[in-house]
Amino acid sequence: MKKLSIPSKLAEAARVHDQVIADARASGYSDSACFAIRLALDEALSNAIHHGNRDDASKHIGVQYDITEKAVSITVCDEGPGFKPDKVPDPTLDENLECPHGRGVMLMRAYMTHVSFNDRGNCVTLVKERNCKLPERA
Amino acid sequence: MAKDSHLLIQRDRDIIRIEFLDKNILEEALIQQIGEEIAQVIDRSGNPKVLISFANVEHLSSAALGTLITINNKVRQKEGQLRLSNIDPQIYEVFVITKLNKLFQIFDTAEKALSSFK
């Protein structure tokens, strides 16, 4: 298990997903799995920085990840009050299709094998199993 | 093209052809800059016909999708037409999952997209 703590800056987030993807590739995860991990992790970090920590660079994002033969597991936590992921409107409904926001959580769920949030809603855990086909269409 | 532009913008008769120069459209400062640059081009055109090629793009985020939606809305406000082309199959899948393939007119090649303009 590796642990990282970064300030709430997008440039720092880019370094985190570069490191995680490099480790996943070194463990033999496929291009399509790495595409999925990069996409989901980018959404999680972006949500943590903007919605969780409100772009406050004095606040930190905690990232823990573990890469095994079977799966890549990543937990991203911010210092915010949390949110209710089930309250996010379905962005694929016709009435929401032209809304420019609100697709991050659904993309994480589509591309990861498992996505879970803690009760407070400030930590998300993304799990990508090596043998999981992808992606699952909405 | 602006000195630090992340886009290649060319005029092809009455069509504005835009190509991303970056492989990754993930970082929000970059996405915002791209959105503003395309918006300026659209603002300068009446009934804009815009073709955006994704030939170089390997990754994009939901923020990039949001900017494309904003561009689409702007083009439609000006009674223009927007076409997307050359989207990598992995990225096209993102459009399918989000059902944005229903919102955008997407073509395999720039040639097919160009011939679709009315």
Side-chain angles (χ1 to χ4, degrees), chain A residues 32 43 46 50 98 100 111 137, chain B residues 28 62 66 69 76 93-94:
Chain A
S32 64
E43 299 298 342
S46 183
H50 294 311
E98 291 183 31
Y111 277 88
R137 290 189 186 189
Chain B
E28 292 191 32
S62 66
I69 291 167
R76 280 168 33 178
E93 198 66 44
V94 178

Side-chain angles (χ1 to χ4, degrees), chain A residues 47-63:
Chain A
N47 281 349
I49 291 170
H50 294 311
H51 302 303
N53 287 351
R54 302 277 174 197
D55 296 297
D56 180 347
S58 70
K59 292 183 175 176
H60 283 72
I61 310 288
V63 180

